[in-house]
Amino acid sequence: AAICSGDALAPLPTTSTNGINGTWSPALDNTTTTTYTFTPTAGQCAITTTLTITVNPLITPTFAAVAAICSGDALAPLPTTSTNGINGTWAPALDNTTTTTYTFTPTAGQCAITTTLTITVNPLITPTFAAVPAICSGDALAQLPTTSTNGINGTWAPALDNTATTTYTFTPTAGQCAITTTLTITVNPLITPTFAAVAAICSGDALAPLPTTSTNGITGTWSPALNNTTTTTYTFTPTTGVCATPTTLSITVNQKVVPNFASVAPICSGTALSPLPTTSTNGITGTWLPALNNTTTTTYTFTPNVGQCATTTTLIITVNPIVTPSFSAVGAICSG
């Protein structure tokens, strides 16, 4: 029977089926179809004859290439019949997670050799993006890049939001061996700087410089310049880059009041003087200097008590000297 190239060949019989002895030539060859000649041993009434042994060449099974896949993609079962008609089986089992070379073993009885088929499984790439620096609520946000730093195209969701910290998801375009990834953009809320209230002052009183750091840690500057003569609202502007809003602080400047007193009528030297009132008619309390003097005209100074927005004032009490009446002399007269 025909054999496959390389199969074992049993030695040809040296005695024919009809009893003729002899030898064969050439030597057996299990790699190619060959016609062998039988030469009968001398002395026998026999002629030479031939025998052809067909040696079928070994066929290499052929298969269509399998396109590369991404790790985890579905893999269709490999065909068990080659494109040139060889049946067989594959090993190892299909693996859709790593590049693998599969071996096809033809079914016994076919003049075919094993063959291999490699299926490339590309690993899934994680798209990478540069971090986006934190922003302050309301700041402008540049559009996120649609191509990653390692070359993956795709789209982002949800839409950009410059008012709240948000995690955005990048979905690669189909057909790329890439997985989704995320990018978080921190949006810091705007802080309102807080400051301790400044107590009202009297016009002209000293004003301490306003603090350039708020009680909640915001640095910045004030405008306009301090004015200790009139009530003013000052604006605090946070330092650039600090997530804070401007704020205001009003400092009340009370104008100084002139204490009012009723005038005191002139007196005669030595006449009793009532104590001067220590509260003005417009409500200012204070003290007088010098001490009352009922013997001479004197200007008294009223000094308001501390803590009142009031100025000193004066009051003059006129003291008239006592006059001795004088008359012209009356000449002497005679009785009657």
Side-chain angles (χ1 to χ4, degrees), residues 79-97:
T80 56
T81 300
S82 69
T83 55
N84 53 351
I86 305 300
N87 300 318
T89 56
W90 291 95
L94 287 178
D95 184 348
N96 66 349
T97 64

Side-chain angles (χ1 to χ4, degrees), residues 48-148:
T48 60
T49 191
T50 60
L51 179 67
T52 298
I53 300 177
T54 299
V55 176
N56 293 316
L58 294 176
I59 299 170
T60 300
T62 55
F63 295 90
V66 176
I69 65 166
C70 298
S71 180
D73 285 356
L75 265 180
L78 292 175
T80 56
T81 300
S82 69
T83 55
N84 53 351
I86 305 300
N87 300 318
T89 56
W90 291 95
L94 287 178
D95 184 348
N96 66 349
T97 64
T98 187
T99 296
T100 304
T101 298
Y102 300 93
T103 299
F104 180 79
T105 301
T107 303
Q110 300 174 99
C111 286
I113 60 174
T114 60
T115 193
T116 60
L117 179 68
T118 298
I119 300 178
T120 300
V121 177
N122 293 316
L124 294 177
I125 300 170
T126 300
T128 55
F129 294 90
V132 175
I135 65 167
C136 298
S137 180
D139 284 357
L141 262 181
Q143 293 298 316
L144 292 175
T146 54
T147 301
S148 69

Side-chain angles (χ1 to χ4, degrees), residues 118-320:
T118 298
I119 300 178
T120 300
V121 177
N122 293 316
L124 294 177
I125 300 170
T126 300
T128 55
F129 294 90
V132 175
I135 65 167
C136 298
S137 180
D139 284 357
L141 262 181
Q143 293 298 316
L144 292 175
T146 54
T147 301
S148 69
T149 54
N150 54 349
I152 306 300
N153 301 317
T155 56
W156 291 96
L160 287 178
D161 184 352
N162 66 347
T163 63
T165 296
T166 304
T167 297
Y168 300 93
T169 299
F170 179 79
T171 302
T173 304
Q176 301 174 98
C177 288
I179 59 174
T180 60
T181 192
T182 59
L183 179 68
T184 298
I185 300 178
T186 300
V187 177
N188 293 316
L190 293 176
I191 300 169
T192 300
T194 55
F195 293 91
V198 175
I201 65 166
C202 297
S203 180
D205 285 357
L207 265 180
L210 292 175
T212 55
T213 301
S214 68
T215 55
N216 54 350
I218 306 300
T219 61
T221 56
W222 291 96
S223 64
L226 287 178
N227 185 346
N228 66 347
T229 64
T230 186
T231 295
T232 304
T233 297
Y234 300 93
T235 299
F236 180 79
T237 302
T239 304
T240 302
V242 176
C243 290
T245 58
T247 192
T248 59
L249 179 68
S250 289
I251 300 178
T252 300
V253 176
N254 295 315
Q255 297 305 310
K256 290 189 175 180
V257 177
V258 177
N260 296 324
F261 293 93
S263 60
V264 176
I267 63 168
C268 295
S269 180
T271 303
L273 267 179
S274 296
L276 292 175
T278 55
T279 301
S280 69
T281 56
N282 53 350
I284 306 300
T285 61
T287 57
W288 292 97
L289 285 173
L292 287 178
N293 184 347
N294 65 349
T295 63
T296 186
T297 296
T298 304
T299 299
Y300 299 94
T301 299
F302 179 79
T303 302
N305 290 335
V306 175
Q308 301 174 96
C309 287
T311 61
T312 59
T313 191
T314 60
L315 180 67
I316 298 174
I317 301 178
T318 301
V319 177
N320 294 316

